[in-house]
Every structure is written in structure tokens, then in C-alpha cells.
Amino acid sequence: AGVRRANQDVCRVVEIPEHDRTLMVVCDGMGGHAMGDVAAETVCNAVCDYWKTHPDCGDSVQKVIEACTQASDALYKRSRVVRSIEMGTTLVMASVEGNKVTIAHIGDSRCYLVRKDGEIIYQTKDHTKLSFGWEVISKCFVAYNEEIAVPEINQFDIEPGDRILICSDGLYKSIAPNILTARMTDDKSPEEILDTFAFLCEKNGDDNYTGILAIIEQ
């Protein structure tokens, strides 16, 4: 939770070893809307449930779109049960299948794909804009406005030693960009690298922070 009393971040990992597939998801509830934690949990669970219930479906752009459509429907239904409110959340996900990773995001949660030599292969671009001098999210999941929940999707070949980090904005805003990517390539275990991120977030941050780090071994 960092320095805040409540944490609206939600993360999940779904492993499907029989298909050499691992899904990682982070959602960050929007603070400008009510019940962001409920929105984040609803969307995160819906995407993970789609992966679990379609194990024979290979990773693809269409698969992500269908999962996000299911998540939008789930958010709309949840908002009507809880209260008729426009609760919202960001989403970032990475699914590793064999030697390929499928990355999708909506909002300002991020994914980094970095080679072991430090080369940045990909970094998601935040869906944000300035409004009266304030940075606001321009694309996200919002109940009663599901048509904007269209993810940006990319696929990449991966190599042994590659590092994949998905995280909420509370993590990357607490660490200088060059330090963040440099620490990702440290010759340490994922747990040790994440401990370093947690230390920097506690020291420099003012928000919740969540991150999932994967190191490709073979």
C-alpha cells in the first residue's frame, strides 16, 4: 500500500504449464472514481478467468480483445450490483507463451521488455493527456462507458535472459527511468530485484505500488 491507507492495485498470475503459457496482470483502480479497488479486482479477475477457461486458445490479438470485452461486461454488471457508479481501472498484462510474449495495456500502468544486456525492446506508452494542467487518463476501463476499453496490443519474440516487468504507476513514478531498467538487468533473483524496487518506492513514492517481474530462462 505504500504511504496510503488503502491499496487499489490488484495483481494476478495464471500459469498453464501444459501449454507453456503464463499470464501476468496488474490493474490499478482510478482514484478519481469511486470504488477503484472493486473495478480493479473485477477487471483483473475477468481477464484471468478468460485465460483459465480458454486454455486451448493460443495467445493472439483477438484473444486479448475478447478477454477485455468480457472484463468490460463484468465491470458493468458489478457496478449495477454494487451501486450505479462509473468506477474505473487501468490494466496492463503480459502473457508468455513459448518464445512469444503478448503485451496489452489500457491506461497508465506499464510493461517493460528488456534484454539482459540492457536493450529496451519495448515500453508501453501511457494513455494520458493534459487537462487544465493536470495529467488525466485518456483510455481505461470505466463502467457505463465500455466502448473506450480497447487495449493497445503488441507481440514480441523473446530470448533467454529477457526481463518483463508489469507495474502500476506508483512503481515507475518512484524510480528514475534509467535506474528502473538498469536494476531489471541486475544479476540477481526476481525476488531480490523486486526488493530493490520496493525499497525505492517506500523511500521516494507517495502512492500504492505493484509490480510483477519475469525472467525468461529458456
Side-chain angles (χ1 to χ4, degrees), residues 92 94 101 103 108-115 119-124 126 162-169 171-173 175-177 180-181 184 197 212-214:
V92 62
V101 61
I103 298 169
D108 63 351
S109 294
R110 288 185 183 177
C111 179
Y112 299 81
L113 172 59
V114 180
R115 290 271 130 92
E119 179 186 3
I120 301 174
I121 302 301
Y122 178 67
Q123 174 186 320
T124 53
D126 302 340
D162 284 357
R163 282 93 195 285
I164 301 168
L165 172 70
I166 64 171
C167 62
S168 62
D169 64 333
L171 192 150
Y172 67 76
K173 287 181 178 178
I175 307 172
L180 177 65
T181 53
M184 282 181 63
F197 289 162
I212 301 175
L213 176 68

PDB file of all heavy atoms in Angstrom, residues 92 94 101 103 108-115 119-124 126 162-169 171-173 175-177 180-181 184 197 212-214:
ATOM      1  N   VAL A  92      -2.703  -3.595 -17.289  1.00  0.00           N
ATOM      2  CA  VAL A  92      -1.546  -3.997 -18.095  1.00  0.00           C
ATOM      3  C   VAL A  92      -1.377  -5.500 -17.914  1.00  0.00           C
ATOM      4  O   VAL A  92      -1.550  -6.017 -16.809  1.00  0.00           O
ATOM      5  CB  VAL A  92      -0.261  -3.237 -17.717  1.00  0.00           C
ATOM      6  CG1 VAL A  92       0.156  -3.510 -16.269  1.00  0.00           C
ATOM      7  CG2 VAL A  92       0.867  -3.576 -18.672  1.00  0.00           C
ATOM      8  N   ALA A  94       0.756  -9.206 -19.552  1.00  0.00           N
ATOM      9  CA  ALA A  94       1.746  -9.838 -20.418  1.00  0.00           C
ATOM     10  C   ALA A  94       1.549 -11.342 -20.312  1.00  0.00           C
ATOM     11  O   ALA A  94       1.538 -11.890 -19.208  1.00  0.00           O
ATOM     12  CB  ALA A  94       3.166  -9.456 -20.009  1.00  0.00           C
ATOM     13  N   VAL A 101       5.758 -13.233 -26.364  1.00  0.00           N
ATOM     14  CA  VAL A 101       5.009 -12.555 -25.314  1.00  0.00           C
ATOM     15  C   VAL A 101       3.986 -11.631 -25.967  1.00  0.00           C
ATOM     16  O   VAL A 101       4.278 -10.941 -26.938  1.00  0.00           O
ATOM     17  CB  VAL A 101       5.932 -11.748 -24.367  1.00  0.00           C
ATOM     18  CG1 VAL A 101       6.702 -10.657 -25.098  1.00  0.00           C
ATOM     19  CG2 VAL A 101       5.124 -11.143 -23.217  1.00  0.00           C
ATOM     20  N   ILE A 103       1.615  -8.473 -25.097  1.00  0.00           N
ATOM     21  CA  ILE A 103       1.514  -7.387 -24.121  1.00  0.00           C
ATOM     22  C   ILE A 103       0.333  -6.499 -24.494  1.00  0.00           C
ATOM     23  O   ILE A 103       0.155  -6.136 -25.660  1.00  0.00           O
ATOM     24  CB  ILE A 103       2.804  -6.549 -24.090  1.00  0.00           C
ATOM     25  CG1 ILE A 103       3.992  -7.414 -23.655  1.00  0.00           C
ATOM     26  CG2 ILE A 103       2.653  -5.341 -23.164  1.00  0.00           C
ATOM     27  CD1 ILE A 103       5.342  -6.747 -23.856  1.00  0.00           C
ATOM     28  N   ASP A 108      -2.389   4.020 -17.638  1.00  0.00           N
ATOM     29  CA  ASP A 108      -1.000   4.403 -17.379  1.00  0.00           C
ATOM     30  C   ASP A 108      -0.234   3.366 -16.563  1.00  0.00           C
ATOM     31  O   ASP A 108       0.859   3.673 -16.057  1.00  0.00           O
ATOM     32  CB  ASP A 108      -0.927   5.766 -16.696  1.00  0.00           C
ATOM     33  CG  ASP A 108      -1.595   5.789 -15.326  1.00  0.00           C
ATOM     34  OD1 ASP A 108      -2.265   4.798 -14.962  1.00  0.00           O
ATOM     35  OD2 ASP A 108      -1.453   6.812 -14.620  1.00  0.00           O
ATOM     36  N   SER A 109      -0.755   2.162 -16.411  1.00  0.00           N
ATOM     37  CA  SER A 109       0.079   1.077 -15.893  1.00  0.00           C
ATOM     38  C   SER A 109       0.965   0.597 -17.037  1.00  0.00           C
ATOM     39  O   SER A 109       0.552   0.642 -18.198  1.00  0.00           O
ATOM     40  CB  SER A 109      -0.790  -0.063 -15.351  1.00  0.00           C
ATOM     41  OG  SER A 109      -1.522   0.365 -14.220  1.00  0.00           O
ATOM     42  N   ARG A 110       2.164   0.134 -16.746  1.00  0.00           N
ATOM     43  CA  ARG A 110       3.174  -0.085 -17.789  1.00  0.00           C
ATOM     44  C   ARG A 110       3.705  -1.503 -17.852  1.00  0.00           C
ATOM     45  O   ARG A 110       3.639  -2.258 -16.879  1.00  0.00           O
ATOM     46  CB  ARG A 110       4.366   0.850 -17.573  1.00  0.00           C
ATOM     47  CG  ARG A 110       4.108   2.290 -17.885  1.00  0.00           C
ATOM     48  CD  ARG A 110       5.389   3.104 -17.761  1.00  0.00           C
ATOM     49  NE  ARG A 110       5.152   4.525 -17.984  1.00  0.00           N
ATOM     50  CZ  ARG A 110       6.089   5.467 -17.883  1.00  0.00           C
ATOM     51  NH1 ARG A 110       7.335   5.107 -17.559  1.00  0.00           N
ATOM     52  NH2 ARG A 110       5.789   6.726 -18.099  1.00  0.00           N
ATOM     53  N   CYS A 111       4.278  -1.805 -19.030  1.00  0.00           N
ATOM     54  CA  CYS A 111       5.060  -3.021 -19.229  1.00  0.00           C
ATOM     55  C   CYS A 111       6.394  -2.636 -19.852  1.00  0.00           C
ATOM     56  O   CYS A 111       6.445  -1.805 -20.770  1.00  0.00           O
ATOM     57  CB  CYS A 111       4.321  -4.005 -20.133  1.00  0.00           C
ATOM     58  SG  CYS A 111       5.258  -5.534 -20.447  1.00  0.00           S
ATOM     59  N   TYR A 112       7.465  -3.250 -19.348  1.00  0.00           N
ATOM     60  CA  TYR A 112       8.809  -3.079 -19.901  1.00  0.00           C
ATOM     61  C   TYR A 112       9.321  -4.448 -20.341  1.00  0.00           C
ATOM     62  O   TYR A 112       9.225  -5.417 -19.591  1.00  0.00           O
ATOM     63  CB  TYR A 112       9.777  -2.526 -18.857  1.00  0.00           C
ATOM     64  CG  TYR A 112       9.435  -1.170 -18.294  1.00  0.00           C
ATOM     65  CD1 TYR A 112       8.484  -1.038 -17.270  1.00  0.00           C
ATOM     66  CD2 TYR A 112      10.074  -0.022 -18.754  1.00  0.00           C
ATOM     67  CE1 TYR A 112       8.176   0.205 -16.737  1.00  0.00           C
ATOM     68  CE2 TYR A 112       9.773   1.225 -18.210  1.00  0.00           C
ATOM     69  CZ  TYR A 112       8.828   1.334 -17.216  1.00  0.00           C
ATOM     70  OH  TYR A 112       8.527   2.567 -16.680  1.00  0.00           O
ATOM     71  N   LEU A 113       9.885  -4.507 -21.553  1.00  0.00           N
ATOM     72  CA  LEU A 113      10.560  -5.710 -22.044  1.00  0.00           C
ATOM     73  C   LEU A 113      12.004  -5.332 -22.315  1.00  0.00           C
ATOM     74  O   LEU A 113      12.284  -4.504 -23.185  1.00  0.00           O
ATOM     75  CB  LEU A 113       9.891  -6.229 -23.313  1.00  0.00           C
ATOM     76  CG  LEU A 113      10.592  -7.370 -24.057  1.00  0.00           C
ATOM     77  CD1 LEU A 113      10.753  -8.599 -23.161  1.00  0.00           C
ATOM     78  CD2 LEU A 113       9.829  -7.743 -25.330  1.00  0.00           C
ATOM     79  N   VAL A 114      12.913  -5.913 -21.535  1.00  0.00           N
ATOM     80  CA  VAL A 114      14.326  -5.511 -21.578  1.00  0.00           C
ATOM     81  C   VAL A 114      15.200  -6.741 -21.780  1.00  0.00           C
ATOM     82  O   VAL A 114      15.008  -7.770 -21.112  1.00  0.00           O
ATOM     83  CB  VAL A 114      14.727  -4.781 -20.273  1.00  0.00           C
ATOM     84  CG1 VAL A 114      16.196  -4.369 -20.317  1.00  0.00           C
ATOM     85  CG2 VAL A 114      13.832  -3.556 -20.049  1.00  0.00           C
ATOM     86  N   ARG A 115      16.172  -6.643 -22.694  1.00  0.00           N
ATOM     87  CA  ARG A 115      17.140  -7.715 -22.902  1.00  0.00           C
ATOM     88  C   ARG A 115      18.131  -7.735 -21.744  1.00  0.00           C
ATOM     89  O   ARG A 115      18.335  -6.748 -21.034  1.00  0.00           O
ATOM     90  CB  ARG A 115      17.923  -7.492 -24.205  1.00  0.00           C
ATOM     91  CG  ARG A 115      17.105  -7.688 -25.460  1.00  0.00           C
ATOM     92  CD  ARG A 115      17.162  -9.131 -25.918  1.00  0.00           C
ATOM     93  NE  ARG A 115      15.821  -9.648 -26.177  1.00  0.00           N
ATOM     94  CZ  ARG A 115      15.214  -9.624 -27.359  1.00  0.00           C
ATOM     95  NH1 ARG A 115      15.830  -9.123 -28.406  1.00  0.00           N
ATOM     96  NH2 ARG A 115      13.987 -10.106 -27.479  1.00  0.00           N
ATOM     97  N   GLU A 119      19.238  -3.624 -23.385  1.00  0.00           N
ATOM     98  CA  GLU A 119      18.492  -3.043 -24.501  1.00  0.00           C
ATOM     99  C   GLU A 119      16.990  -3.081 -24.199  1.00  0.00           C
ATOM    100  O   GLU A 119      16.450  -4.125 -23.850  1.00  0.00           O
ATOM    101  CB  GLU A 119      18.772  -3.811 -25.791  1.00  0.00           C
ATOM    102  CG  GLU A 119      18.006  -3.274 -26.996  1.00  0.00           C
ATOM    103  CD  GLU A 119      18.175  -4.121 -28.232  1.00  0.00           C
ATOM    104  OE1 GLU A 119      18.847  -5.168 -28.143  1.00  0.00           O
ATOM    105  OE2 GLU A 119      17.614  -3.760 -29.288  1.00  0.00           O
ATOM    106  N   ILE A 120      16.353  -1.920 -24.334  1.00  0.00           N
ATOM    107  CA  ILE A 120      14.912  -1.842 -24.110  1.00  0.00           C
ATOM    108  C   ILE A 120      14.199  -2.188 -25.415  1.00  0.00           C
ATOM    109  O   ILE A 120      14.233  -1.426 -26.380  1.00  0.00           O
ATOM    110  CB  ILE A 120      14.499  -0.439 -23.623  1.00  0.00           C
ATOM    111  CG1 ILE A 120      15.229  -0.091 -22.317  1.00  0.00           C
ATOM    112  CG2 ILE A 120      12.985  -0.367 -23.421  1.00  0.00           C
ATOM    113  CD1 ILE A 120      14.991   1.332 -21.845  1.00  0.00           C
ATOM    114  N   ILE A 121      13.576  -3.345 -25.444  1.00  0.00           N
ATOM    115  CA  ILE A 121      12.867  -3.798 -26.639  1.00  0.00           C
ATOM    116  C   ILE A 121      11.522  -3.101 -26.771  1.00  0.00           C
ATOM    117  O   ILE A 121      11.098  -2.726 -27.871  1.00  0.00           O
ATOM    118  CB  ILE A 121      12.667  -5.321 -26.605  1.00  0.00           C
ATOM    119  CG1 ILE A 121      14.025  -6.039 -26.495  1.00  0.00           C
ATOM    120  CG2 ILE A 121      11.912  -5.805 -27.837  1.00  0.00           C
ATOM    121  CD1 ILE A 121      14.972  -5.727 -27.634  1.00  0.00           C
ATOM    122  N   TYR A 122      10.841  -2.892 -25.651  1.00  0.00           N
ATOM    123  CA  TYR A 122       9.520  -2.278 -25.696  1.00  0.00           C
ATOM    124  C   TYR A 122       9.177  -1.694 -24.344  1.00  0.00           C
ATOM    125  O   TYR A 122       9.524  -2.240 -23.296  1.00  0.00           O
ATOM    126  CB  TYR A 122       8.466  -3.309 -26.101  1.00  0.00           C
ATOM    127  CG  TYR A 122       7.052  -2.782 -26.128  1.00  0.00           C
ATOM    128  CD1 TYR A 122       6.665  -1.827 -27.068  1.00  0.00           C
ATOM    129  CD2 TYR A 122       6.097  -3.239 -25.217  1.00  0.00           C
ATOM    130  CE1 TYR A 122       5.365  -1.342 -27.094  1.00  0.00           C
ATOM    131  CE2 TYR A 122       4.791  -2.762 -25.244  1.00  0.00           C
ATOM    132  CZ  TYR A 122       4.433  -1.815 -26.186  1.00  0.00           C
ATOM    133  OH  TYR A 122       3.146  -1.338 -26.218  1.00  0.00           O
ATOM    134  N   GLN A 123       8.477  -0.561 -24.395  1.00  0.00           N
ATOM    135  CA  GLN A 123       7.894   0.053 -23.205  1.00  0.00           C
ATOM    136  C   GLN A 123       6.549   0.625 -23.608  1.00  0.00           C
ATOM    137  O   GLN A 123       6.450   1.349 -24.598  1.00  0.00           O
ATOM    138  CB  GLN A 123       8.791   1.172 -22.656  1.00  0.00           C
ATOM    139  CG  GLN A 123       8.175   1.944 -21.497  1.00  0.00           C
ATOM    140  CD  GLN A 123       9.024   3.131 -21.079  1.00  0.00           C
ATOM    141  OE1 GLN A 123      10.254   3.041 -21.047  1.00  0.00           O
ATOM    142  NE2 GLN A 123       8.382   4.254 -20.768  1.00  0.00           N
ATOM    143  N   THR A 124       5.502   0.272 -22.884  1.00  0.00           N
ATOM    144  CA  THR A 124       4.175   0.787 -23.216  1.00  0.00           C
ATOM    145  C   THR A 124       4.145   2.314 -23.098  1.00  0.00           C
ATOM    146  O   THR A 124       4.874   2.900 -22.300  1.00  0.00           O
ATOM    147  CB  THR A 124       3.109   0.184 -22.293  1.00  0.00           C
ATOM    148  OG1 THR A 124       3.502   0.386 -20.925  1.00  0.00           O
ATOM    149  CG2 THR A 124       2.933  -1.299 -22.548  1.00  0.00           C
ATOM    150  N   ASP A 126       1.913   5.518 -22.095  1.00  0.00           N
ATOM    151  CA  ASP A 126       0.761   5.813 -21.243  1.00  0.00           C
ATOM    152  C   ASP A 126      -0.370   6.442 -22.045  1.00  0.00           C
ATOM    153  O   ASP A 126      -0.145   7.298 -22.907  1.00  0.00           O
ATOM    154  CB  ASP A 126       1.162   6.774 -20.119  1.00  0.00           C
ATOM    155  CG  ASP A 126       2.273   6.228 -19.256  1.00  0.00           C
ATOM    156  OD1 ASP A 126       2.473   5.002 -19.257  1.00  0.00           O
ATOM    157  OD2 ASP A 126       2.949   7.035 -18.583  1.00  0.00           O
ATOM    158  N   ASP A 162      15.748 -12.422 -21.167  1.00  0.00           N
ATOM    159  CA  ASP A 162      14.855 -11.270 -21.233  1.00  0.00           C
ATOM    160  C   ASP A 162      14.136 -11.074 -19.910  1.00  0.00           C
ATOM    161  O   ASP A 162      13.832 -12.041 -19.201  1.00  0.00           O
ATOM    162  CB  ASP A 162      13.823 -11.449 -22.345  1.00  0.00           C
ATOM    163  CG  ASP A 162      14.396 -11.212 -23.732  1.00  0.00           C
ATOM    164  OD1 ASP A 162      15.583 -10.855 -23.841  1.00  0.00           O
ATOM    165  OD2 ASP A 162      13.647 -11.388 -24.717  1.00  0.00           O
ATOM    166  N   ARG A 163      13.864  -9.801 -19.597  1.00  0.00           N
ATOM    167  CA  ARG A 163      13.123  -9.465 -18.378  1.00  0.00           C
ATOM    168  C   ARG A 163      11.832  -8.735 -18.762  1.00  0.00           C
ATOM    169  O   ARG A 163      11.871  -7.818 -19.593  1.00  0.00           O
ATOM    170  CB  ARG A 163      13.958  -8.585 -17.446  1.00  0.00           C
ATOM    171  CG  ARG A 163      15.016  -9.413 -16.668  1.00  0.00           C
ATOM    172  CD  ARG A 163      16.352  -9.444 -17.362  1.00  0.00           C
ATOM    173  NE  ARG A 163      17.235 -10.475 -16.842  1.00  0.00           N
ATOM    174  CZ  ARG A 163      17.893 -10.423 -15.690  1.00  0.00           C
ATOM    175  NH1 ARG A 163      17.730  -9.388 -14.897  1.00  0.00           N
ATOM    176  NH2 ARG A 163      18.696 -11.389 -15.328  1.00  0.00           N
ATOM    177  N   ILE A 164      10.750  -9.123 -18.153  1.00  0.00           N
ATOM    178  CA  ILE A 164       9.451  -8.499 -18.389  1.00  0.00           C
ATOM    179  C   ILE A 164       8.927  -7.993 -17.055  1.00  0.00           C
ATOM    180  O   ILE A 164       8.788  -8.749 -16.098  1.00  0.00           O
ATOM    181  CB  ILE A 164       8.451  -9.500 -18.998  1.00  0.00           C
ATOM    182  CG1 ILE A 164       8.981 -10.052 -20.326  1.00  0.00           C
ATOM    183  CG2 ILE A 164       7.089  -8.823 -19.211  1.00  0.00           C
ATOM    184  CD1 ILE A 164       8.194 -11.248 -20.843  1.00  0.00           C
ATOM    185  N   LEU A 165       8.656  -6.692 -16.988  1.00  0.00           N
ATOM    186  CA  LEU A 165       8.104  -6.082 -15.782  1.00  0.00           C
ATOM    187  C   LEU A 165       6.775  -5.434 -16.131  1.00  0.00           C
ATOM    188  O   LEU A 165       6.699  -4.632 -17.058  1.00  0.00           O
ATOM    189  CB  LEU A 165       9.050  -5.017 -15.224  1.00  0.00           C
ATOM    190  CG  LEU A 165       8.504  -4.169 -14.069  1.00  0.00           C
ATOM    191  CD1 LEU A 165       8.366  -5.000 -12.795  1.00  0.00           C
ATOM    192  CD2 LEU A 165       9.399  -2.949 -13.810  1.00  0.00           C
ATOM    193  N   ILE A 166       5.715  -5.786 -15.412  1.00  0.00           N
ATOM    194  CA  ILE A 166       4.465  -5.039 -15.498  1.00  0.00           C
ATOM    195  C   ILE A 166       4.225  -4.403 -14.137  1.00  0.00           C
ATOM    196  O   ILE A 166       4.508  -4.999 -13.095  1.00  0.00           O
ATOM    197  CB  ILE A 166       3.273  -5.923 -15.926  1.00  0.00           C
ATOM    198  CG1 ILE A 166       2.957  -7.005 -14.895  1.00  0.00           C
ATOM    199  CG2 ILE A 166       3.530  -6.559 -17.286  1.00  0.00           C
ATOM    200  CD1 ILE A 166       1.652  -7.754 -15.195  1.00  0.00           C
ATOM    201  N   CYS A 167       3.717  -3.151 -14.142  1.00  0.00           N
ATOM    202  CA  CYS A 167       3.628  -2.434 -12.874  1.00  0.00           C
ATOM    203  C   CYS A 167       2.609  -1.304 -12.951  1.00  0.00           C
ATOM    204  O   CYS A 167       2.256  -0.823 -14.032  1.00  0.00           O
ATOM    205  CB  CYS A 167       4.992  -1.875 -12.477  1.00  0.00           C
ATOM    206  SG  CYS A 167       5.668  -0.662 -13.643  1.00  0.00           S
ATOM    207  N   SER A 168       2.153  -0.883 -11.787  1.00  0.00           N
ATOM    208  CA  SER A 168       1.291   0.288 -11.684  1.00  0.00           C
ATOM    209  C   SER A 168       2.152   1.547 -11.684  1.00  0.00           C
ATOM    210  O   SER A 168       3.376   1.492 -11.527  1.00  0.00           O
ATOM    211  CB  SER A 168       0.451   0.212 -10.407  1.00  0.00           C
ATOM    212  OG  SER A 168       1.280   0.203  -9.260  1.00  0.00           O
ATOM    213  N   ASP A 169       1.510   2.704 -11.854  1.00  0.00           N
ATOM    214  CA  ASP A 169       2.264   3.954 -11.947  1.00  0.00           C
ATOM    215  C   ASP A 169       2.964   4.296 -10.642  1.00  0.00           C
ATOM    216  O   ASP A 169       3.963   5.022 -10.635  1.00  0.00           O
ATOM    217  CB  ASP A 169       1.374   5.110 -12.392  1.00  0.00           C
ATOM    218  CG  ASP A 169       0.272   5.446 -11.394  1.00  0.00           C
ATOM    219  OD1 ASP A 169      -0.162   4.547 -10.643  1.00  0.00           O
ATOM    220  OD2 ASP A 169      -0.169   6.606 -11.371  1.00  0.00           O
ATOM    221  N   LEU A 171       4.845   2.466  -9.000  1.00  0.00           N
ATOM    222  CA  LEU A 171       6.206   1.919  -9.021  1.00  0.00           C
ATOM    223  C   LEU A 171       7.121   2.757  -9.911  1.00  0.00           C
ATOM    224  O   LEU A 171       8.142   3.267  -9.453  1.00  0.00           O
ATOM    225  CB  LEU A 171       6.190   0.466  -9.478  1.00  0.00           C
ATOM    226  CG  LEU A 171       7.501  -0.314  -9.287  1.00  0.00           C
ATOM    227  CD1 LEU A 171       7.222  -1.798  -9.063  1.00  0.00           C
ATOM    228  CD2 LEU A 171       8.446  -0.155 -10.474  1.00  0.00           C
ATOM    229  N   TYR A 172       6.745   2.936 -11.181  1.00  0.00           N
ATOM    230  CA  TYR A 172       7.696   3.600 -12.086  1.00  0.00           C
ATOM    231  C   TYR A 172       7.842   5.096 -11.806  1.00  0.00           C
ATOM    232  O   TYR A 172       8.862   5.684 -12.150  1.00  0.00           O
ATOM    233  CB  TYR A 172       7.335   3.352 -13.552  1.00  0.00           C
ATOM    234  CG  TYR A 172       6.060   3.965 -14.063  1.00  0.00           C
ATOM    235  CD1 TYR A 172       5.979   5.322 -14.357  1.00  0.00           C
ATOM    236  CD2 TYR A 172       4.926   3.189 -14.289  1.00  0.00           C
ATOM    237  CE1 TYR A 172       4.801   5.884 -14.844  1.00  0.00           C
ATOM    238  CE2 TYR A 172       3.760   3.731 -14.777  1.00  0.00           C
ATOM    239  CZ  TYR A 172       3.704   5.084 -15.052  1.00  0.00           C
ATOM    240  OH  TYR A 172       2.543   5.629 -15.549  1.00  0.00           O
ATOM    241  N   LYS A 173       6.851   5.714 -11.155  1.00  0.00           N
ATOM    242  CA  LYS A 173       6.976   7.133 -10.819  1.00  0.00           C
ATOM    243  C   LYS A 173       7.866   7.354  -9.599  1.00  0.00           C
ATOM    244  O   LYS A 173       8.241   8.493  -9.307  1.00  0.00           O
ATOM    245  CB  LYS A 173       5.597   7.739 -10.578  1.00  0.00           C
ATOM    246  CG  LYS A 173       4.791   7.933 -11.855  1.00  0.00           C
ATOM    247  CD  LYS A 173       3.429   8.555 -11.584  1.00  0.00           C
ATOM    248  CE  LYS A 173       2.664   8.791 -12.894  1.00  0.00           C
ATOM    249  NZ  LYS A 173       1.312   9.365 -12.650  1.00  0.00           N
ATOM    250  N   ILE A 175      10.835   5.713  -9.295  1.00  0.00           N
ATOM    251  CA  ILE A 175      12.192   5.302  -9.663  1.00  0.00           C
ATOM    252  C   ILE A 175      12.575   5.982 -10.972  1.00  0.00           C
ATOM    253  O   ILE A 175      11.794   5.957 -11.936  1.00  0.00           O
ATOM    254  CB  ILE A 175      12.269   3.770  -9.830  1.00  0.00           C
ATOM    255  CG1 ILE A 175      11.733   3.061  -8.575  1.00  0.00           C
ATOM    256  CG2 ILE A 175      13.693   3.325 -10.126  1.00  0.00           C
ATOM    257  CD1 ILE A 175      11.594   1.558  -8.718  1.00  0.00           C
ATOM    258  N   ALA A 176      13.758   6.567 -11.024  1.00  0.00           N
ATOM    259  CA  ALA A 176      14.232   7.199 -12.260  1.00  0.00           C
ATOM    260  C   ALA A 176      14.254   6.164 -13.387  1.00  0.00           C
ATOM    261  O   ALA A 176      14.644   5.014 -13.161  1.00  0.00           O
ATOM    262  CB  ALA A 176      15.615   7.793 -12.056  1.00  0.00           C
ATOM    263  N   PRO A 177      13.855   6.548 -14.609  1.00  0.00           N
ATOM    264  CA  PRO A 177      13.733   5.576 -15.699  1.00  0.00           C
ATOM    265  C   PRO A 177      14.996   4.761 -15.948  1.00  0.00           C
ATOM    266  O   PRO A 177      14.923   3.541 -16.149  1.00  0.00           O
ATOM    267  CB  PRO A 177      13.386   6.448 -16.909  1.00  0.00           C
ATOM    268  CG  PRO A 177      12.709   7.646 -16.321  1.00  0.00           C
ATOM    269  CD  PRO A 177      13.408   7.893 -15.022  1.00  0.00           C
ATOM    270  N   LEU A 180      15.464   2.247 -13.156  1.00  0.00           N
ATOM    271  CA  LEU A 180      14.474   1.168 -13.235  1.00  0.00           C
ATOM    272  C   LEU A 180      14.914   0.081 -14.204  1.00  0.00           C
ATOM    273  O   LEU A 180      14.952  -1.107 -13.860  1.00  0.00           O
ATOM    274  CB  LEU A 180      13.122   1.735 -13.666  1.00  0.00           C
ATOM    275  CG  LEU A 180      11.992   0.723 -13.871  1.00  0.00           C
ATOM    276  CD1 LEU A 180      11.631   0.037 -12.563  1.00  0.00           C
ATOM    277  CD2 LEU A 180      10.774   1.394 -14.475  1.00  0.00           C
ATOM    278  N   THR A 181      15.275   0.459 -15.426  1.00  0.00           N
ATOM    279  CA  THR A 181      15.678  -0.540 -16.420  1.00  0.00           C
ATOM    280  C   THR A 181      17.037  -1.154 -16.090  1.00  0.00           C
ATOM    281  O   THR A 181      17.269  -2.329 -16.365  1.00  0.00           O
ATOM    282  CB  THR A 181      15.705   0.082 -17.819  1.00  0.00           C
ATOM    283  OG1 THR A 181      16.517   1.268 -17.823  1.00  0.00           O
ATOM    284  CG2 THR A 181      14.292   0.451 -18.274  1.00  0.00           C
ATOM    285  N   MET A 184      16.512  -3.839 -13.524  1.00  0.00           N
ATOM    286  CA  MET A 184      15.860  -5.005 -14.103  1.00  0.00           C
ATOM    287  C   MET A 184      16.872  -6.014 -14.619  1.00  0.00           C
ATOM    288  O   MET A 184      16.600  -7.219 -14.655  1.00  0.00           O
ATOM    289  CB  MET A 184      14.945  -4.587 -15.261  1.00  0.00           C
ATOM    290  CG  MET A 184      13.622  -3.988 -14.843  1.00  0.00           C
ATOM    291  SD  MET A 184      12.594  -3.537 -16.270  1.00  0.00           S
ATOM    292  CE  MET A 184      12.314  -5.152 -17.027  1.00  0.00           C
ATOM    293  N   PHE A 197      13.161  -2.547  -5.823  1.00  0.00           N
ATOM    294  CA  PHE A 197      12.077  -1.660  -6.254  1.00  0.00           C
ATOM    295  C   PHE A 197      11.227  -1.232  -5.051  1.00  0.00           C
ATOM    296  O   PHE A 197      10.852  -0.060  -4.924  1.00  0.00           O
ATOM    297  CB  PHE A 197      11.189  -2.366  -7.279  1.00  0.00           C
ATOM    298  CG  PHE A 197      11.844  -2.560  -8.627  1.00  0.00           C
ATOM    299  CD1 PHE A 197      11.338  -3.483  -9.525  1.00  0.00           C
ATOM    300  CD2 PHE A 197      12.948  -1.828  -9.006  1.00  0.00           C
ATOM    301  CE1 PHE A 197      11.913  -3.664 -10.769  1.00  0.00           C
ATOM    302  CE2 PHE A 197      13.546  -2.001 -10.242  1.00  0.00           C
ATOM    303  CZ  PHE A 197      13.024  -2.923 -11.132  1.00  0.00           C
ATOM    304  N   ILE A 212       5.114  -7.045 -11.142  1.00  0.00           N
ATOM    305  CA  ILE A 212       5.390  -8.463 -11.370  1.00  0.00           C
ATOM    306  C   ILE A 212       6.556  -8.531 -12.343  1.00  0.00           C
ATOM    307  O   ILE A 212       6.527  -7.911 -13.407  1.00  0.00           O
ATOM    308  CB  ILE A 212       4.179  -9.201 -11.968  1.00  0.00           C
ATOM    309  CG1 ILE A 212       2.972  -9.090 -11.032  1.00  0.00           C
ATOM    310  CG2 ILE A 212       4.515 -10.663 -12.222  1.00  0.00           C
ATOM    311  CD1 ILE A 212       1.702  -9.696 -11.617  1.00  0.00           C
ATOM    312  N   LEU A 213       7.595  -9.277 -11.975  1.00  0.00           N
ATOM    313  CA  LEU A 213       8.794  -9.393 -12.792  1.00  0.00           C
ATOM    314  C   LEU A 213       9.010 -10.842 -13.214  1.00  0.00           C
ATOM    315  O   LEU A 213       8.947 -11.743 -12.383  1.00  0.00           O
ATOM    316  CB  LEU A 213      10.025  -8.902 -12.004  1.00  0.00           C
ATOM    317  CG  LEU A 213      11.384  -9.063 -12.708  1.00  0.00           C
ATOM    318  CD1 LEU A 213      11.482  -8.135 -13.917  1.00  0.00           C
ATOM    319  CD2 LEU A 213      12.519  -8.770 -11.721  1.00  0.00           C
ATOM    320  N   ALA A 214       9.236 -11.043 -14.503  1.00  0.00           N
ATOM    321  CA  ALA A 214       9.537 -12.372 -15.024  1.00  0.00           C
ATOM    322  C   ALA A 214      10.898 -12.346 -15.717  1.00  0.00           C
ATOM    323  O   ALA A 214      11.200 -11.403 -16.456  1.00  0.00           O
ATOM    324  CB  ALA A 214       8.472 -12.821 -16.022  1.00  0.00           C
TER     325      ALA A 214
END
